[in-house]
Amino acid sequence: MSSESEERAPLLKWRGLVRCFDAGNVAVIACIAIVFLTAQGTVWAKNEFEGMRAKSYMLFLDFSKYYICGKMASGDDYVRANVYDANLQQKYLTEYSLTDAKKPIEYIAYPPINFPLMKPLALLPMSQAFHIYWTLGLAFSIGATWLLSRQSIFFRGPLNFLTLWLAIFASIPMFRAYALGQFSLYLLGLIALYFYFFLRQSKKLDWSAGATLALTAIKPQYCIFLAIPALATFRWRILIAAAAGEAVLLALAAATVGIKNIIDFPKIVLFADQTSLYSGVFPEQMVNLRAIFCLFTAPHLAMKIASALGLAAMVALAWLWYKHGRKRSDLMARLVALTVCVCLTTSPHTNVYDCILLCIPALLTMPSSFSASLYSRFRSLETKKHFWPEELLTLTLLLYAPVGWLIFLLAPGKNIIGEASITLPFAFINMLLCALQCVCLRHESSAAASRSTVPKTG
């Protein structure tokens, strides 16, 4: 028996079992996705949006905050000049978000650019605005990830791409994003589009990449990480376009809410993030290092430690992009995957609905099934033979949706809107994904270096 046949023997031996695993995993994901899509369709078809909000003000709370941003941006001069005034926000929150005026305020500390961008929402009744907002978000994120799938080996085909989106629909992050009306789908679309333009390495598309990067500033804690690949690889067109786009957004914000609110925003958001006077932050319910440190120390100290580690992570990420991303296009997909994982894990403000972004590492680096994963390892015996961290990374991503629901079912309280007992395990999963992406990057870099040093014969 040849050496290659001997290497393929374990795959052939376990092929039936692996295929059963894949089929079972897809079946579970499909069932959960169907339940989610049916529930979502029911809310729309039966016009249950307002009734659900009346039962619990937490449902669609974040969307109602976006809606309030639009309402305040459409208000008179006094309202627009005082969008960060707690008392004024409380008035709008009580009217539009059905919050209790006697409870701590669900303070709105969104960036100033959010206010003009959300003005279109305020033109419609809230229920109609929500359905349009969510439908457009789905269409945008699906379209953007479809473009990004052109850079993938395994997800170019429509069937595998459909399976990936079934997994997204079946995940706890998607359920949480819908229940709160979060901006996560638009963020996924923007980041997928940005990396699609980035990976194409076209001078013309670099301008589009920069404009897209500017729009991600609606979540500034992520925008900083996303700018690192362009900075470290000296993609000046991207940076120039991003700066120009950001200037336009800030000018729009200044014309809407005034320059003073832009200048004061860093101070406002820092105070709102750490004060006990406001509600809505819940650092212990995040899915990052900050939430993990909250287990061992006070929230304000956890914030400082996590922020310091976040800065260190940005420096390390910049070094990796500088070292591998300038001339090694074969490592770019892995670097993008690592960037997203590091962003989610070390950002000072990461919630479970943002884990939808893990779709991007899965799309670029994960085989479409475990059997495909094993086959790809045996297909390239020299570089991918029995590398267990990559198998563990594949399994973690493949089982992300079912494991997420297992965490939910086993956690006390079982409240999909909150509870640290549900969200905290996702922080450790994010840490695991970061570590595995780093190990895989090092392995691929070493393998590539070995190939380049092997003398050619013939």
Side-chain angles (χ1 to χ4, degrees):
M1 182 181 292
S2 67
S3 175
E4 183 172 341
S5 299
E6 291 176 357
E7 293 290 349
R8 293 183 186 275
L11 176 61
L12 296 173
K13 179 180 179 181
W14 297 101
R15 181 170 55 184
L17 183 61
V18 170
R19 286 181 175 176
C20 287
F21 165 82
D22 288 334
N25 188 42
V26 171
V28 170
I29 286 171
C31 288
I32 300 172
I34 290 170
V35 170
F36 168 71
L37 292 171
T38 302
Q40 179 183 327
T42 301
V43 173
W44 174 78
K46 295 186 176 181
N47 197 23
E48 294 181 348
F49 178 82
E50 294 295 347
M52 293 175 69
R53 289 180 67 233
K55 291 178 182 178
S56 173
Y57 81 94
M58 286 294 293
L59 286 170
F60 311 115
L61 175 61
D62 289 345
F63 171 76
S64 68
K65 289 182 178 181
Y66 299 138
Y67 189 81
I68 288 169
C69 286
K71 283 292 185 183
M72 297 183 83
S74 304
D76 57 30
D77 291 345
Y78 174 79
V79 172
R80 287 186 285 110
N82 294 277
V83 290
Y84 292 119
D85 179 83
N87 293 326
L88 186 60
Q89 284 193 12
Q90 185 70 286
K91 176 185 175 181
Y92 276 83
L93 285 162
T94 303
E95 179 177 357
Y96 293 104
S97 290
L98 309 179
T99 56
D100 188 346
K102 297 179 181 179
K103 293 182 178 180
I105 182 174
E106 294 277 349
Y107 191 74
I108 300 173
Y110 297 148
I113 63 173
N114 282 37
F115 290 90
L117 291 177
M118 299 303 165
K119 283 182 72 173
L121 294 177
L123 299 176
L124 295 170
M126 186 180 287
S127 60
Q128 294 180 22
F130 173 75
H131 294 308
I132 293 174
Y133 158 87
W134 187 257
T135 302
L136 290 177
L138 274 178
F140 176 54
S141 58
I142 291 173
T145 51
W146 172 256
L147 283 176
L148 187 61
S149 71
R150 305 300 87 197
Q151 305 297 315
S152 170
I153 297 174
F154 290 97
F155 290 96
R156 287 175 175 267
L159 184 59
N160 286 345
F161 184 77
L162 173 63
T163 304
L164 175 70
W165 265 95
L166 284 177
I168 296 172
F169 285 132
S171 67
I172 287 285
M174 176 61 99
F175 270 68
R176 185 74 171 269
Y178 180 76
L180 291 173
Q182 251 295 327
F183 198 76
S184 305
L185 284 173
Y186 289 92
L187 186 64
L188 170 60
L190 286 171
I191 297 176
L193 203 57
Y194 166 61
F195 280 124
Y196 167 73
F197 293 138
F198 186 94
L199 291 173
R200 290 290 301 275
Q201 300 188 69
S202 163
K203 292 180 179 180
K204 291 182 179 180
L205 291 179
D206 278 358
W207 300 109
S208 300
T212 308
L213 176 61
L215 286 170
T216 64
I218 202 165
K219 294 270 188 176
Q221 70 271 28
Y222 299 143
C223 182
I224 297 172
F225 283 89
L226 297 172
I228 289 175
L231 278 168
T233 56
F234 310 126
R235 303 278 288 273
W236 301 118
R237 291 177 181 82
I238 295 177
L239 298 174
I240 292 170
E246 198 61 39
V248 171
L249 290 173
L250 289 174
L252 187 61
T256 306
V257 300
I259 296 176
K260 186 176 185 300
N261 282 318
I262 296 175
I263 295 172
D264 290 345
F265 175 70
K267 178 177 63 178
I268 290 169
V269 73
L270 186 62
F271 176 75
D273 192 77
Q274 300 187 50
T275 183
S276 60
L277 297 175
Y278 303 146
S279 181
V281 178
F282 308 117
E284 71 282 353
Q285 293 183 19
M286 294 183 184
V287 291
N288 51 10
L289 291 178
R290 181 181 177 185
I292 294 173
F293 289 126
C294 281
L295 293 173
F296 311 107
T297 186
H300 70 279
L301 187 56
M303 173 65 171
K304 293 178 181 178
I305 298 172
S307 296
L309 290 175
L311 288 173
M314 283 192 281
V315 172
L317 191 62
W319 179 79
L320 288 172
W321 271 102
Y322 176 79
K323 180 181 179 182
H324 300 296
R326 292 178 301 151
K327 300 179 181 179
R328 296 295 308 279
S329 58
D330 56 323
L331 295 178
M332 276 196 176
R334 182 69 67 185
L335 284 166
V336 169
L338 177 60
T339 300
V340 173
C341 291
V342 169
C343 178
L344 290 173
T345 306
T346 64
S347 166
H349 197 101
T350 306
N351 287 293
V352 69
Y353 42 73
D354 292 329
C355 290
I356 288 178
L357 299 180
L358 290 174
C359 161
I360 293 172
L363 193 63
L364 291 175
T365 63
M366 183 190 77
S368 55
S369 65
F370 197 55
S371 56
S373 171
L374 292 179
Y375 178 76
S376 69
R377 305 295 176 265
F378 286 102
R379 185 179 58 183
S380 182
L381 300 178
E382 293 181 358
T383 61
K384 294 186 176 180
K385 182 170 59 176
H386 304 307
F387 187 59
W388 67 263
E390 194 158 3
E391 307 295 353
L392 179 57
L393 176 60
T394 298
L395 274 176
T396 304
L397 291 171
L398 284 173
L399 294 174
Y400 190 88
V403 168
W405 282 102
L406 188 62
I407 292 170
F408 169 71
L409 293 173
L410 296 178
K414 298 183 179 64
N415 181 0
I416 196 169
I417 302 298
E419 303 299 333
S421 57
I422 295 174
T423 57
L424 190 60
F426 288 91
F428 289 101
I429 293 174
N430 286 342
M431 284 186 62
L432 174 64
L433 291 173
C434 271
L436 292 174
Q437 292 286 3
C438 282
V439 172
C440 289
L441 174 63
R442 182 178 180 182
H443 174 71
E444 290 178 5
S445 175
S446 299
S450 299
R451 289 196 303 271
S452 65
T453 57
V454 174
K456 294 182 180 180
T457 59

